[in-house]
Amino acid sequence: MNALFLEKKTDGMDARVRPVADDAWPAGDVTVRIAYSSINYKDALAVTGRGKIVRGAFPFIPGIDFAGEVIGSDDPRYPVGRAVIGTGWGIGEERWGGYSQLQRVEASMLVPLPEAMTPFEAMAAGTAGLTAMLSALALERHGVAPDAGPIVVTGATGGVGSFSVRILSSLGYAVTASTGKADAGPYLRDLGAAEVIGRDELGQGPRRPLDAGRWAGAVDSVGGNTLAAILSQTARHGCVAACGLAGAAEFSTTVFPFILRGVTLQGIDSNTCTYADRVEAWDRLSALPRSETFERHLQTVPLSGVPAACEALMRGGVTGRFVVDVNG
């Protein structure tokens, strides 16, 4: 069985495909033959060495997602032959991940693959799609209805952003997509965005502590000044789902949006969210209407192509998603 191994260097990471020794697999009660993985922003940080993502011992197999078939199990919930998805719980960060043809994990890290979804479709979504659906569920549970007003989605051409635009528009929300790509308008409108705005419109930060209430809610994967601006512009009793830091981890705001408008800042944790939330999110993703536009922007790469794809993602010129065919 082959895998993409990372070795830490003084100037970054060395990533290369090589066989895995038979006695090297980690402990776990379920063994999965992996069909596909995906490339998320966190994966790109790990593989390029630009972020302190890997906390396991080197050499290390990254990849925070995988989908495949159980080929060995000590847990009755996942018999041999069951199709499963693995995300979160330190996969690809603390323990070996999905850039491998086989992996052994704890059953608690898995969910069943929905019957209406293939392993490829699951990894076209991956943690990015899961995060986007968890964000949409947060808005729903907070009571932000489609007729409450527009929802802004930042980083809209990325994985989380693209899925958020698709999901929310399919649910009837008026979505405003924020992007730094000047030519991304047609793509985002085809995904369902009602309006497209430039990144700088929010990226400069709030103009005043409490601006005009423009948004009923938001899905923000950028953080920093962008998140601060969104909070200042969120309408009464709105909800902002914060799920990323592509722009910056820190931001500065005031208490005014919270105490004068009752705005909620809802953190989205796709890594350790509950089993019930995972199952609901994947079931909802499996029912998402097909998007030919999104599918045209899917790129499939083999294990050997992961490093170059991660570099491209870090440069910021990628629209859509990478799916990793670990057997390709």
Side-chain angles (χ1 to χ4, degrees):
M1 294 292 178
N2 291 325
L4 180 75
F5 278 93
L6 297 182
E7 287 279 10
K8 195 171 185 178
K9 302 189 300 182
T10 56
D11 59 346
M13 289 288 180
D14 178 64
R16 63 185 63 194
V17 178
R18 62 176 175 83
V20 184
D22 290 340
D23 60 353
W25 299 107
D29 47 16
V30 181
T31 303
V32 180
R33 179 186 291 116
I34 298 176
Y36 296 98
S37 184
S38 65
I39 299 178
N40 301 279
Y41 183 68
K42 187 180 286 187
D43 296 312
L45 288 171
V47 172
T48 62
R50 289 180 173 83
K52 295 181 180 179
I53 302 300
V54 176
R55 299 187 295 280
F58 292 94
F60 187 83
I61 301 173
I64 65 173
D65 301 332
F66 64 79
E69 179 182 338
V70 174
I71 60 171
S73 178
D74 295 324
D75 191 295
R77 293 173 295 175
Y78 297 105
V80 171
R82 173 66 59 84
V84 294
I85 301 169
T87 65
W89 301 105
I91 293 173
E93 299 178 68
E94 298 172 5
R95 61 180 296 138
W96 283 3
Y99 295 162
S100 177
Q101 294 175 322
L102 182 145
Q103 201 48 265
R104 186 175 294 146
V105 295
E106 302 299 330
S108 59
M109 300 174 177
L110 302 172
V111 296
L113 179 75
E115 291 185 4
M117 181 176 267
T118 67
F120 180 88
E121 290 168 337
M123 290 299 96
T127 287
L130 174 64
T131 301
M133 184 57 78
L134 291 170
S135 300
L137 291 174
L139 297 183
E140 285 186 344
R141 293 169 181 175
H142 189 73
V144 178
D147 61 359
I151 307 295
V152 64
V153 174
T154 63
T157 61
V160 175
S162 293
F163 263 95
S164 294
V165 173
R166 285 184 62 194
I167 291 166
L168 292 168
S169 63
S170 74
L171 294 174
Y173 291 90
V175 178
T176 297
S178 169
T179 179
K181 296 184 175 70
D183 59 350
Y187 167 74
L188 292 168
R189 289 188 177 89
D190 283 349
L191 289 183
E195 182 183 9
V196 179
I197 62 174
R199 176 172 56 200
D200 290 345
E201 191 164 330
L202 297 170
Q204 301 300 317
R207 292 173 291 184
R208 52 184 65 88
L210 202 62
D211 213 336
R214 185 176 181 183
W215 318 113
V219 177
D220 175 55
S221 60
V222 175
N225 288 337
T226 297
L227 178 55
I230 290 170
L231 287 169
S232 76
Q233 296 176 16
T234 300
R236 193 176 304 278
H237 301 146
C239 179
V240 177
C243 57
L245 43 68
E250 298 83 17
F251 72 100
S252 178
T253 188
T254 70
V255 299
F256 294 141
F258 309 110
I259 66 173
L260 298 182
R261 288 183 178 161
V263 170
T264 295
L265 177 59
Q266 177 69 57
I268 304 300
D269 170 26
S270 60
N271 190 44
T272 62
C273 64
T274 67
Y275 176 82
D277 282 346
R278 288 169 189 265
V279 170
E280 180 179 2
W282 282 110
D283 284 346
R284 294 281 294 270
L285 282 168
S286 73
L288 194 63
R290 183 182 176 189
S291 169
E292 293 184 0
T293 297
F294 179 80
E295 292 168 5
R296 285 199 303 271
H297 287 82
L298 284 175
Q299 301 180 59
T300 303
V301 298
L303 282 175
S304 60
V306 168
C310 288
E311 287 287 352
L313 190 58
M314 291 306 301
R315 288 195 298 269
V318 174
T319 296
R321 292 275 290 162
F322 288 106
V323 177
V324 181
D325 180 356
V326 301
N327 302 295

